[in-house]
Amino acid sequence: DENLPSVPKGTDDFIPTQLAAAGRFENEENLYALPYDCPTMIWMYRKDLFDKHGEKMSQDLGFDQTPSPELTWEQYYQIANWFNENQDEVPYGTGHQARQYDSLMCDFSNILWSYGGDYFHEPKVGSLGTAEPGPCTLDEQEALEAAEFYKKLLSIAHPGSVSWDWNATDEAFRTGQIAMAPNWHEFAAVDQDPAESTIVGKIGYSPLPKGPVRNANMWGGTGVGINGASPINEQKAAWLFLVWATSPDTMLMGLKSDVGGGTPTRGSLYELPEVKKAMEPPTNLPNLLTYDAVSEAWRPENIGLRPKIQSWNECDTAIYTEVSKMLAGQKTPEQAMKTAKKYFDEAQARVENLASRPSGVA
Amino acid sequence: MAATQERSSSATKGANGGGGISLETKMLVPVLALLAVLSLFPFFYIIWMSLNIVSLINGISFDFAGLANWTRMFTDEVVGAAWARAALYFVATVGLEMILGIAIALLVHELVWGKNLVLSLILLPMFMAPVIVGLLGRFLTDSSYGLYAYVLRELGIFESDILGTASSALPAVILMDVWEWTPLIVLIVLAGLASVNQYVIEAAKVDGAGYLERLRYIVAPSIAGVVIVALLVRSMDAIRYFDIITVTTNGGPGNTTKIIPIRLYETAFRFFDLGYAAAIGLGMLVFSILVANVFVRILESRGLAR
């Protein structure tokens, strides 16, 4: 790293929660990767329908239904149910990415965290990650309550939810099948594209509802790192790419891309006059319409970060399989959470066991 | 792999004829050696992998674990359930394909005109990539805009999401496979039917044998060989069935469509637990060889193996 360019504006320009989650591991000292993208789950809703039925809804429901992080998941459920029973512009109130897939883990985690549950007790497991997270905590009361609520919520959701991943959920939203959904914010670009969507200009964005304990918005971002096992010249070339890919100019270019593009992971870009202006409709950068919602979601107290542990792929599969079994009626919420915990602990025990053994390189 | 070995060994036997190494065999040696390297090296490598915990961090490394992966496989309830589901899936797809395939072939065989046109139409699904069949199936069963979902809903037969409901997901993926591969059975059985001796059929007709009698005593014995070959080909395919399930249900909902190849894929390429995956893969290989042997033995007992 002698003659090579340094990161423009330094690493402090990156949004802190994202820098930690994408770039650090185990401690604050070392930085392994720079945040590249930042899809985050927020509450997307049909503003036109909320405006149209607003008065009657708040009379029927007994609270102000305008989406905000101050509403609870229980109220989200009631709003969804209201849509199911009281109007015919959309077939269902809510839709979810509840296919037996990674998307189901994302959707369920929002609720798990907001109910005060988590996968592990270790508080840094999501932001910095750890090699030894300790025993899985999915069998605790908060997690069971979250699972019970999730089952209840899905029972009134669009029945297609159980076979939808994130793409299919957004497709249902932008083709007028559902009135609202916990959805990835970068889908705003395609939802506001007249060639793809029937609801252009009719969408509102808010952070997700809160649970009894907190507000949690699943962050699905990634970072670009360099493989330390590759030859030194390639590492240098990778550094050049990394600096370029995460630079302010490149991010601005991505934001302006015709095909939607990502949203920046750097705070300074959101201060640019042209970017600020684009946060209000009419805009040519529709992803920015979500900025108020995502900037709330990215605060340390609101961001939802999945565990950074070595056995995560296996644990991820375990949790979405068990939640899927719960939704399919094969298991009670309690059975599902307890089985998931068992598989988490087994998977983690295997990798920790492996790490403690000396191994020969073939 | 079992099938290739079977074929190559019968080829060498054929070339050998009597004693001494013939010119043909000598000319075959280079390619046989290449085949042996290509199939034997990975075979022994995967056996070695199954006896180790394999890690990919900092290059591939082996950590000898004895029979740990194997004992784990025989006690792993997820893998056990996947095997049970695979068996159900195997019997259902191959069974349905055989019944439908033979029935359709018999009907097409009786056609007087338009046979080629009908046959071409029937064969179409077979020429699609399985992934495309899966995507098409997903499209047709989608609960918002899928044609099948719509028809079933309007008829009041089925209202939930087809691929998202535990009771319907497995039948749905089975039917997708049946849709794609029944034509292959039709094609093979038709070839068998074309070789049935017409004079014998004529003679039976003269003697007053009805259609069912002719089917049972003349046609069935004549086509038995090709039917078993068709069964063998489809069985080998069904054991490693992967594409359609991956793009439709990915094993869900609640693991109801997670057959053993899907679990193998997860173990190897999502969990990167390559040693354990090698053991599961070898388990599948053993099963394939057993199934193939059963069919080959039936063929041999009928004197049809050559």
PDB file of all heavy atoms in Angstrom, chain A residues 45-49 170-171 173-176 187-205 281-286 289:
ATOM      1  N   TYR A  45     -45.583   1.000   1.116  1.00  0.00           N
ATOM      2  CA  TYR A  45     -47.051   0.918   1.127  1.00  0.00           C
ATOM      3  C   TYR A  45     -47.648   1.746   0.009  1.00  0.00           C
ATOM      4  O   TYR A  45     -47.011   2.643  -0.539  1.00  0.00           O
ATOM      5  CB  TYR A  45     -47.594   1.360   2.486  1.00  0.00           C
ATOM      6  CG  TYR A  45     -47.240   2.783   2.863  1.00  0.00           C
ATOM      7  CD1 TYR A  45     -48.117   3.841   2.623  1.00  0.00           C
ATOM      8  CD2 TYR A  45     -46.016   3.071   3.461  1.00  0.00           C
ATOM      9  CE1 TYR A  45     -47.795   5.136   2.965  1.00  0.00           C
ATOM     10  CE2 TYR A  45     -45.683   4.370   3.809  1.00  0.00           C
ATOM     11  CZ  TYR A  45     -46.569   5.406   3.560  1.00  0.00           C
ATOM     12  OH  TYR A  45     -46.247   6.689   3.883  1.00  0.00           O
ATOM     13  N   ARG A  46     -48.888   1.442  -0.303  1.00  0.00           N
ATOM     14  CA  ARG A  46     -49.611   2.155  -1.354  1.00  0.00           C
ATOM     15  C   ARG A  46     -50.186   3.437  -0.754  1.00  0.00           C
ATOM     16  O   ARG A  46     -51.250   3.442  -0.155  1.00  0.00           O
ATOM     17  CB  ARG A  46     -50.719   1.264  -1.890  1.00  0.00           C
ATOM     18  CG  ARG A  46     -50.205   0.113  -2.742  1.00  0.00           C
ATOM     19  CD  ARG A  46     -49.786   0.598  -4.109  1.00  0.00           C
ATOM     20  NE  ARG A  46     -50.925   1.178  -4.824  1.00  0.00           N
ATOM     21  CZ  ARG A  46     -51.804   0.457  -5.496  1.00  0.00           C
ATOM     22  NH1 ARG A  46     -51.669  -0.836  -5.594  1.00  0.00           N
ATOM     23  NH2 ARG A  46     -52.824   1.041  -6.097  1.00  0.00           N
ATOM     24  N   LYS A  47     -49.436   4.525  -0.994  1.00  0.00           N
ATOM     25  CA  LYS A  47     -49.838   5.800  -0.420  1.00  0.00           C
ATOM     26  C   LYS A  47     -51.226   6.201  -0.916  1.00  0.00           C
ATOM     27  O   LYS A  47     -52.041   6.753  -0.172  1.00  0.00           O
ATOM     28  CB  LYS A  47     -48.803   6.856  -0.796  1.00  0.00           C
ATOM     29  CG  LYS A  47     -48.866   8.090   0.055  1.00  0.00           C
ATOM     30  CD  LYS A  47     -47.621   8.942  -0.172  1.00  0.00           C
ATOM     31  CE  LYS A  47     -47.597  10.170   0.735  1.00  0.00           C
ATOM     32  NZ  LYS A  47     -48.863  10.858   0.883  1.00  0.00           N
ATOM     33  N   ASP A  48     -51.496   5.901  -2.208  1.00  0.00           N
ATOM     34  CA  ASP A  48     -52.805   6.293  -2.755  1.00  0.00           C
ATOM     35  C   ASP A  48     -53.944   5.629  -1.986  1.00  0.00           C
ATOM     36  O   ASP A  48     -54.956   6.270  -1.681  1.00  0.00           O
ATOM     37  CB  ASP A  48     -52.874   5.937  -4.245  1.00  0.00           C
ATOM     38  CG  ASP A  48     -52.630   4.464  -4.518  1.00  0.00           C
ATOM     39  OD1 ASP A  48     -51.864   3.829  -3.754  1.00  0.00           O
ATOM     40  OD2 ASP A  48     -53.199   3.926  -5.489  1.00  0.00           O
ATOM     41  N   LEU A  49     -53.779   4.365  -1.623  1.00  0.00           N
ATOM     42  CA  LEU A  49     -54.851   3.659  -0.915  1.00  0.00           C
ATOM     43  C   LEU A  49     -54.967   4.132   0.530  1.00  0.00           C
ATOM     44  O   LEU A  49     -56.066   4.259   1.066  1.00  0.00           O
ATOM     45  CB  LEU A  49     -54.611   2.152  -0.960  1.00  0.00           C
ATOM     46  CG  LEU A  49     -54.594   1.530  -2.356  1.00  0.00           C
ATOM     47  CD1 LEU A  49     -54.398   0.025  -2.268  1.00  0.00           C
ATOM     48  CD2 LEU A  49     -55.881   1.844  -3.112  1.00  0.00           C
ATOM     49  N   ASP A 170     -41.783  -8.168  -4.531  1.00  0.00           N
ATOM     50  CA  ASP A 170     -41.859  -6.837  -5.126  1.00  0.00           C
ATOM     51  C   ASP A 170     -42.717  -6.853  -6.388  1.00  0.00           C
ATOM     52  O   ASP A 170     -43.439  -5.897  -6.657  1.00  0.00           O
ATOM     53  CB  ASP A 170     -40.462  -6.299  -5.455  1.00  0.00           C
ATOM     54  CG  ASP A 170     -40.567  -4.866  -5.941  1.00  0.00           C
ATOM     55  OD1 ASP A 170     -40.935  -4.001  -5.118  1.00  0.00           O
ATOM     56  OD2 ASP A 170     -40.350  -4.616  -7.136  1.00  0.00           O
ATOM     57  N   GLU A 171     -42.631  -7.929  -7.128  1.00  0.00           N
ATOM     58  CA  GLU A 171     -43.454  -8.023  -8.335  1.00  0.00           C
ATOM     59  C   GLU A 171     -44.938  -7.949  -7.965  1.00  0.00           C
ATOM     60  O   GLU A 171     -45.731  -7.279  -8.628  1.00  0.00           O
ATOM     61  CB  GLU A 171     -43.147  -9.350  -9.023  1.00  0.00           C
ATOM     62  CG  GLU A 171     -43.644  -9.452 -10.438  1.00  0.00           C
ATOM     63  CD  GLU A 171     -43.159 -10.759 -11.047  1.00  0.00           C
ATOM     64  OE1 GLU A 171     -41.980 -10.819 -11.402  1.00  0.00           O
ATOM     65  OE2 GLU A 171     -43.953 -11.702 -11.123  1.00  0.00           O
ATOM     66  N   PHE A 173     -46.136  -6.506  -5.355  1.00  0.00           N
ATOM     67  CA  PHE A 173     -46.413  -5.145  -4.888  1.00  0.00           C
ATOM     68  C   PHE A 173     -46.597  -4.202  -6.066  1.00  0.00           C
ATOM     69  O   PHE A 173     -47.583  -3.467  -6.150  1.00  0.00           O
ATOM     70  CB  PHE A 173     -45.257  -4.686  -3.987  1.00  0.00           C
ATOM     71  CG  PHE A 173     -45.421  -3.299  -3.426  1.00  0.00           C
ATOM     72  CD1 PHE A 173     -46.508  -2.978  -2.623  1.00  0.00           C
ATOM     73  CD2 PHE A 173     -44.478  -2.304  -3.699  1.00  0.00           C
ATOM     74  CE1 PHE A 173     -46.659  -1.703  -2.096  1.00  0.00           C
ATOM     75  CE2 PHE A 173     -44.621  -1.026  -3.177  1.00  0.00           C
ATOM     76  CZ  PHE A 173     -45.719  -0.723  -2.369  1.00  0.00           C
ATOM     77  N   ARG A 174     -45.668  -4.262  -7.026  1.00  0.00           N
ATOM     78  CA  ARG A 174     -45.731  -3.274  -8.100  1.00  0.00           C
ATOM     79  C   ARG A 174     -46.781  -3.614  -9.153  1.00  0.00           C
ATOM     80  O   ARG A 174     -47.036  -2.822 -10.051  1.00  0.00           O
ATOM     81  CB  ARG A 174     -44.356  -3.075  -8.736  1.00  0.00           C
ATOM     82  CG  ARG A 174     -43.797  -4.251  -9.487  1.00  0.00           C
ATOM     83  CD  ARG A 174     -42.460  -3.877 -10.143  1.00  0.00           C
ATOM     84  NE  ARG A 174     -41.999  -4.934 -11.007  1.00  0.00           N
ATOM     85  CZ  ARG A 174     -41.092  -5.857 -10.683  1.00  0.00           C
ATOM     86  NH1 ARG A 174     -40.530  -5.820  -9.501  1.00  0.00           N
ATOM     87  NH2 ARG A 174     -40.740  -6.792 -11.529  1.00  0.00           N
ATOM     88  N   THR A 175     -47.373  -4.810  -9.083  1.00  0.00           N
ATOM     89  CA  THR A 175     -48.468  -5.116  -9.999  1.00  0.00           C
ATOM     90  C   THR A 175     -49.812  -5.078  -9.280  1.00  0.00           C
ATOM     91  O   THR A 175     -50.807  -5.602  -9.767  1.00  0.00           O
ATOM     92  CB  THR A 175     -48.292  -6.509 -10.652  1.00  0.00           C
ATOM     93  OG1 THR A 175     -48.113  -7.473  -9.613  1.00  0.00           O
ATOM     94  CG2 THR A 175     -47.095  -6.548 -11.577  1.00  0.00           C
ATOM     95  N   GLY A 176     -49.834  -4.464  -8.092  1.00  0.00           N
ATOM     96  CA  GLY A 176     -51.115  -4.203  -7.440  1.00  0.00           C
ATOM     97  C   GLY A 176     -51.765  -5.393  -6.767  1.00  0.00           C
ATOM     98  O   GLY A 176     -52.983  -5.448  -6.640  1.00  0.00           O
ATOM     99  N   PHE A 187     -35.731  -1.665  -4.353  1.00  0.00           N
ATOM    100  CA  PHE A 187     -36.785  -1.976  -5.318  1.00  0.00           C
ATOM    101  C   PHE A 187     -37.550  -0.709  -5.727  1.00  0.00           C
ATOM    102  O   PHE A 187     -38.340  -0.742  -6.671  1.00  0.00           O
ATOM    103  CB  PHE A 187     -37.763  -2.997  -4.753  1.00  0.00           C
ATOM    104  CG  PHE A 187     -37.314  -4.420  -4.906  1.00  0.00           C
ATOM    105  CD1 PHE A 187     -37.212  -5.261  -3.809  1.00  0.00           C
ATOM    106  CD2 PHE A 187     -37.015  -4.928  -6.160  1.00  0.00           C
ATOM    107  CE1 PHE A 187     -36.803  -6.579  -3.954  1.00  0.00           C
ATOM    108  CE2 PHE A 187     -36.606  -6.252  -6.314  1.00  0.00           C
ATOM    109  CZ  PHE A 187     -36.499  -7.071  -5.212  1.00  0.00           C
ATOM    110  N   ALA A 188     -37.313   0.396  -5.006  1.00  0.00           N
ATOM    111  CA  ALA A 188     -38.010   1.644  -5.350  1.00  0.00           C
ATOM    112  C   ALA A 188     -37.790   1.988  -6.819  1.00  0.00           C
ATOM    113  O   ALA A 188     -38.697   2.467  -7.502  1.00  0.00           O
ATOM    114  CB  ALA A 188     -37.514   2.778  -4.451  1.00  0.00           C
ATOM    115  N   ALA A 189     -36.575   1.736  -7.311  1.00  0.00           N
ATOM    116  CA  ALA A 189     -36.265   2.115  -8.690  1.00  0.00           C
ATOM    117  C   ALA A 189     -37.198   1.421  -9.679  1.00  0.00           C
ATOM    118  O   ALA A 189     -37.764   2.051 -10.571  1.00  0.00           O
ATOM    119  CB  ALA A 189     -34.809   1.770  -9.005  1.00  0.00           C
ATOM    120  N   VAL A 190     -37.377   0.122  -9.522  1.00  0.00           N
ATOM    121  CA  VAL A 190     -38.224  -0.592 -10.477  1.00  0.00           C
ATOM    122  C   VAL A 190     -39.705  -0.316 -10.201  1.00  0.00           C
ATOM    123  O   VAL A 190     -40.519  -0.232 -11.123  1.00  0.00           O
ATOM    124  CB  VAL A 190     -37.870  -2.105 -10.512  1.00  0.00           C
ATOM    125  CG1 VAL A 190     -38.021  -2.755  -9.176  1.00  0.00           C
ATOM    126  CG2 VAL A 190     -38.711  -2.845 -11.528  1.00  0.00           C
ATOM    127  N   ASP A 191     -40.049  -0.114  -8.933  1.00  0.00           N
ATOM    128  CA  ASP A 191     -41.449   0.204  -8.618  1.00  0.00           C
ATOM    129  C   ASP A 191     -41.878   1.539  -9.218  1.00  0.00           C
ATOM    130  O   ASP A 191     -43.059   1.761  -9.457  1.00  0.00           O
ATOM    131  CB  ASP A 191     -41.644   0.267  -7.090  1.00  0.00           C
ATOM    132  CG  ASP A 191     -41.451  -1.085  -6.434  1.00  0.00           C
ATOM    133  OD1 ASP A 191     -41.475  -2.097  -7.152  1.00  0.00           O
ATOM    134  OD2 ASP A 191     -41.267  -1.119  -5.200  1.00  0.00           O
ATOM    135  N   GLN A 192     -40.920   2.438  -9.416  1.00  0.00           N
ATOM    136  CA  GLN A 192     -41.248   3.763  -9.967  1.00  0.00           C
ATOM    137  C   GLN A 192     -40.963   3.821 -11.461  1.00  0.00           C
ATOM    138  O   GLN A 192     -40.905   4.903 -12.045  1.00  0.00           O
ATOM    139  CB  GLN A 192     -40.433   4.852  -9.245  1.00  0.00           C
ATOM    140  CG  GLN A 192     -40.679   4.930  -7.753  1.00  0.00           C
ATOM    141  CD  GLN A 192     -41.993   5.595  -7.376  1.00  0.00           C
ATOM    142  OE1 GLN A 192     -42.824   5.889  -8.230  1.00  0.00           O
ATOM    143  NE2 GLN A 192     -42.199   5.838  -6.086  1.00  0.00           N
ATOM    144  N   ASP A 193     -40.786   2.657 -12.087  1.00  0.00           N
ATOM    145  CA  ASP A 193     -40.506   2.620 -13.518  1.00  0.00           C
ATOM    146  C   ASP A 193     -41.792   2.246 -14.267  1.00  0.00           C
ATOM    147  O   ASP A 193     -42.296   1.128 -14.117  1.00  0.00           O
ATOM    148  CB  ASP A 193     -39.415   1.566 -13.767  1.00  0.00           C
ATOM    149  CG  ASP A 193     -39.117   1.379 -15.249  1.00  0.00           C
ATOM    150  OD1 ASP A 193     -39.792   2.029 -16.080  1.00  0.00           O
ATOM    151  OD2 ASP A 193     -38.227   0.587 -15.568  1.00  0.00           O
ATOM    152  N   PRO A 194     -42.326   3.159 -15.083  1.00  0.00           N
ATOM    153  CA  PRO A 194     -43.620   2.898 -15.739  1.00  0.00           C
ATOM    154  C   PRO A 194     -43.616   1.638 -16.602  1.00  0.00           C
ATOM    155  O   PRO A 194     -44.673   1.033 -16.816  1.00  0.00           O
ATOM    156  CB  PRO A 194     -43.840   4.132 -16.612  1.00  0.00           C
ATOM    157  CG  PRO A 194     -42.932   5.166 -16.071  1.00  0.00           C
ATOM    158  CD  PRO A 194     -41.780   4.465 -15.440  1.00  0.00           C
ATOM    159  N   ALA A 195     -42.445   1.239 -17.096  1.00  0.00           N
ATOM    160  CA  ALA A 195     -42.413   0.047 -17.940  1.00  0.00           C
ATOM    161  C   ALA A 195     -42.612  -1.229 -17.123  1.00  0.00           C
ATOM    162  O   ALA A 195     -42.995  -2.266 -17.650  1.00  0.00           O
ATOM    163  CB  ALA A 195     -41.075  -0.025 -18.674  1.00  0.00           C
ATOM    164  N   GLU A 196     -42.341  -1.153 -15.834  1.00  0.00           N
ATOM    165  CA  GLU A 196     -42.368  -2.363 -15.005  1.00  0.00           C
ATOM    166  C   GLU A 196     -43.507  -2.369 -13.996  1.00  0.00           C
ATOM    167  O   GLU A 196     -43.851  -3.412 -13.457  1.00  0.00           O
ATOM    168  CB  GLU A 196     -41.052  -2.465 -14.207  1.00  0.00           C
ATOM    169  CG  GLU A 196     -39.795  -2.575 -15.035  1.00  0.00           C
ATOM    170  CD  GLU A 196     -39.492  -4.013 -15.398  1.00  0.00           C
ATOM    171  OE1 GLU A 196     -40.156  -4.910 -14.863  1.00  0.00           O
ATOM    172  OE2 GLU A 196     -38.585  -4.220 -16.239  1.00  0.00           O
ATOM    173  N   SER A 197     -44.041  -1.198 -13.706  1.00  0.00           N
ATOM    174  CA  SER A 197     -44.865  -1.079 -12.510  1.00  0.00           C
ATOM    175  C   SER A 197     -46.194  -0.398 -12.821  1.00  0.00           C
ATOM    176  O   SER A 197     -46.276   0.485 -13.674  1.00  0.00           O
ATOM    177  CB  SER A 197     -44.082  -0.268 -11.474  1.00  0.00           C
ATOM    178  OG  SER A 197     -44.915   0.149 -10.433  1.00  0.00           O
ATOM    179  N   THR A 198     -47.235  -0.801 -12.110  1.00  0.00           N
ATOM    180  CA  THR A 198     -48.546  -0.152 -12.272  1.00  0.00           C
ATOM    181  C   THR A 198     -48.802   0.847 -11.150  1.00  0.00           C
ATOM    182  O   THR A 198     -49.882   1.410 -11.067  1.00  0.00           O
ATOM    183  CB  THR A 198     -49.667  -1.207 -12.244  1.00  0.00           C
ATOM    184  OG1 THR A 198     -49.607  -1.882 -10.989  1.00  0.00           O
ATOM    185  CG2 THR A 198     -49.518  -2.220 -13.361  1.00  0.00           C
ATOM    186  N   ILE A 199     -47.833   1.052 -10.279  1.00  0.00           N
ATOM    187  CA  ILE A 199     -48.097   1.898  -9.109  1.00  0.00           C
ATOM    188  C   ILE A 199     -47.121   3.073  -9.024  1.00  0.00           C
ATOM    189  O   ILE A 199     -46.849   3.571  -7.940  1.00  0.00           O
ATOM    190  CB  ILE A 199     -48.054   1.068  -7.805  1.00  0.00           C
ATOM    191  CG1 ILE A 199     -46.703   0.339  -7.666  1.00  0.00           C
ATOM    192  CG2 ILE A 199     -49.176   0.047  -7.777  1.00  0.00           C
ATOM    193  CD1 ILE A 199     -46.486  -0.237  -6.285  1.00  0.00           C
ATOM    194  N   VAL A 200     -46.621   3.522 -10.177  1.00  0.00           N
ATOM    195  CA  VAL A 200     -45.672   4.641 -10.192  1.00  0.00           C
ATOM    196  C   VAL A 200     -46.300   5.868  -9.517  1.00  0.00           C
ATOM    197  O   VAL A 200     -47.442   6.223  -9.784  1.00  0.00           O
ATOM    198  CB  VAL A 200     -45.282   4.978 -11.639  1.00  0.00           C
ATOM    199  CG1 VAL A 200     -44.375   6.199 -11.680  1.00  0.00           C
ATOM    200  CG2 VAL A 200     -44.608   3.786 -12.285  1.00  0.00           C
ATOM    201  N   GLY A 201     -45.539   6.468  -8.595  1.00  0.00           N
ATOM    202  CA  GLY A 201     -46.020   7.678  -7.943  1.00  0.00           C
ATOM    203  C   GLY A 201     -47.057   7.431  -6.857  1.00  0.00           C
ATOM    204  O   GLY A 201     -47.617   8.375  -6.301  1.00  0.00           O
ATOM    205  N   LYS A 202     -47.351   6.196  -6.564  1.00  0.00           N
ATOM    206  CA  LYS A 202     -48.389   5.908  -5.568  1.00  0.00           C
ATOM    207  C   LYS A 202     -47.814   5.238  -4.321  1.00  0.00           C
ATOM    208  O   LYS A 202     -48.540   4.589  -3.575  1.00  0.00           O
ATOM    209  CB  LYS A 202     -49.433   4.961  -6.171  1.00  0.00           C
ATOM    210  CG  LYS A 202     -50.143   5.513  -7.394  1.00  0.00           C
ATOM    211  CD  LYS A 202     -51.053   4.447  -7.980  1.00  0.00           C
ATOM    212  CE  LYS A 202     -51.785   4.992  -9.204  1.00  0.00           C
ATOM    213  NZ  LYS A 202     -52.509   3.915  -9.901  1.00  0.00           N
ATOM    214  N   ILE A 203     -46.490   5.354  -4.138  1.00  0.00           N
ATOM    215  CA  ILE A 203     -45.862   4.569  -3.075  1.00  0.00           C
ATOM    216  C   ILE A 203     -45.351   5.456  -1.950  1.00  0.00           C
ATOM    217  O   ILE A 203     -44.798   6.529  -2.196  1.00  0.00           O
ATOM    218  CB  ILE A 203     -44.673   3.758  -3.640  1.00  0.00           C
ATOM    219  CG1 ILE A 203     -45.087   3.063  -4.935  1.00  0.00           C
ATOM    220  CG2 ILE A 203     -44.195   2.723  -2.627  1.00  0.00           C
ATOM    221  CD1 ILE A 203     -43.925   2.519  -5.717  1.00  0.00           C
ATOM    222  N   GLY A 204     -45.513   5.003  -0.731  1.00  0.00           N
ATOM    223  CA  GLY A 204     -44.927   5.662   0.423  1.00  0.00           C
ATOM    224  C   GLY A 204     -43.909   4.749   1.074  1.00  0.00           C
ATOM    225  O   GLY A 204     -43.959   3.529   0.914  1.00  0.00           O
ATOM    226  N   TYR A 205     -42.952   5.362   1.801  1.00  0.00           N
ATOM    227  CA  TYR A 205     -41.878   4.588   2.429  1.00  0.00           C
ATOM    228  C   TYR A 205     -41.738   4.978   3.891  1.00  0.00           C
ATOM    229  O   TYR A 205     -41.744   6.162   4.222  1.00  0.00           O
ATOM    230  CB  TYR A 205     -40.546   4.847   1.721  1.00  0.00           C
ATOM    231  CG  TYR A 205     -40.616   4.680   0.212  1.00  0.00           C
ATOM    232  CD1 TYR A 205     -40.849   5.776  -0.619  1.00  0.00           C
ATOM    233  CD2 TYR A 205     -40.463   3.428  -0.372  1.00  0.00           C
ATOM    234  CE1 TYR A 205     -40.914   5.637  -1.997  1.00  0.00           C
ATOM    235  CE2 TYR A 205     -40.532   3.273  -1.744  1.00  0.00           C
ATOM    236  CZ  TYR A 205     -40.755   4.383  -2.560  1.00  0.00           C
ATOM    237  OH  TYR A 205     -40.832   4.232  -3.913  1.00  0.00           O
ATOM    238  N   PRO A 281     -40.271  13.835  -4.873  1.00  0.00           N
ATOM    239  CA  PRO A 281     -40.797  13.678  -6.222  1.00  0.00           C
ATOM    240  C   PRO A 281     -41.111  15.054  -6.832  1.00  0.00           C
ATOM    241  O   PRO A 281     -41.445  15.962  -6.066  1.00  0.00           O
ATOM    242  CB  PRO A 281     -42.070  12.858  -6.008  1.00  0.00           C
ATOM    243  CG  PRO A 281     -42.460  13.078  -4.590  1.00  0.00           C
ATOM    244  CD  PRO A 281     -41.211  13.398  -3.835  1.00  0.00           C
ATOM    245  N   PRO A 282     -41.058  15.251  -8.144  1.00  0.00           N
ATOM    246  CA  PRO A 282     -40.644  14.239  -9.127  1.00  0.00           C
ATOM    247  C   PRO A 282     -39.125  14.089  -9.126  1.00  0.00           C
ATOM    248  O   PRO A 282     -38.410  15.067  -8.952  1.00  0.00           O
ATOM    249  CB  PRO A 282     -41.129  14.830 -10.441  1.00  0.00           C
ATOM    250  CG  PRO A 282     -41.112  16.306 -10.217  1.00  0.00           C
ATOM    251  CD  PRO A 282     -41.399  16.536  -8.766  1.00  0.00           C
ATOM    252  N   THR A 283     -38.676  12.882  -9.330  1.00  0.00           N
ATOM    253  CA  THR A 283     -37.240  12.649  -9.281  1.00  0.00           C
ATOM    254  C   THR A 283     -36.803  11.706 -10.393  1.00  0.00           C
ATOM    255  O   THR A 283     -37.589  10.883 -10.841  1.00  0.00           O
ATOM    256  CB  THR A 283     -36.850  12.040  -7.915  1.00  0.00           C
ATOM    257  OG1 THR A 283     -35.466  11.745  -7.925  1.00  0.00           O
ATOM    258  CG2 THR A 283     -37.616  10.743  -7.660  1.00  0.00           C
ATOM    259  N   ASN A 284     -35.551  11.863 -10.815  1.00  0.00           N
ATOM    260  CA  ASN A 284     -35.006  10.900 -11.773  1.00  0.00           C
ATOM    261  C   ASN A 284     -34.162   9.845 -11.054  1.00  0.00           C
ATOM    262  O   ASN A 284     -33.589   8.973 -11.677  1.00  0.00           O
ATOM    263  CB  ASN A 284     -34.200  11.615 -12.857  1.00  0.00           C
ATOM    264  CG  ASN A 284     -33.108  12.482 -12.257  1.00  0.00           C
ATOM    265  OD1 ASN A 284     -33.147  12.796 -11.056  1.00  0.00           O
ATOM    266  ND2 ASN A 284     -32.127  12.861 -13.059  1.00  0.00           N
ATOM    267  N   LEU A 285     -34.058   9.952  -9.743  1.00  0.00           N
ATOM    268  CA  LEU A 285     -33.310   8.961  -8.949  1.00  0.00           C
ATOM    269  C   LEU A 285     -34.258   8.360  -7.906  1.00  0.00           C
ATOM    270  O   LEU A 285     -34.161   8.658  -6.717  1.00  0.00           O
ATOM    271  CB  LEU A 285     -32.122   9.634  -8.256  1.00  0.00           C
ATOM    272  CG  LEU A 285     -31.177  10.458  -9.130  1.00  0.00           C
ATOM    273  CD1 LEU A 285     -30.136  11.162  -8.267  1.00  0.00           C
ATOM    274  CD2 LEU A 285     -30.500   9.584 -10.163  1.00  0.00           C
ATOM    275  N   PRO A 286     -35.185   7.494  -8.350  1.00  0.00           N
ATOM    276  CA  PRO A 286     -36.284   7.082  -7.462  1.00  0.00           C
ATOM    277  C   PRO A 286     -35.839   6.371  -6.190  1.00  0.00           C
ATOM    278  O   PRO A 286     -36.553   6.417  -5.191  1.00  0.00           O
ATOM    279  CB  PRO A 286     -37.134   6.157  -8.336  1.00  0.00           C
ATOM    280  CG  PRO A 286     -36.276   5.793  -9.496  1.00  0.00           C
ATOM    281  CD  PRO A 286     -35.306   6.897  -9.682  1.00  0.00           C
ATOM    282  N   LEU A 289     -36.090   8.360  -3.004  1.00  0.00           N
ATOM    283  CA  LEU A 289     -37.360   8.640  -2.326  1.00  0.00           C
ATOM    284  C   LEU A 289     -37.439   7.909  -0.989  1.00  0.00           C
ATOM    285  O   LEU A 289     -38.207   8.275  -0.112  1.00  0.00           O
ATOM    286  CB  LEU A 289     -38.529   8.203  -3.215  1.00  0.00           C
ATOM    287  CG  LEU A 289     -38.696   9.003  -4.518  1.00  0.00           C
ATOM    288  CD1 LEU A 289     -39.755   8.358  -5.394  1.00  0.00           C
ATOM    289  CD2 LEU A 289     -39.060  10.448  -4.204  1.00  0.00           C
TER     290      LEU A 289
END
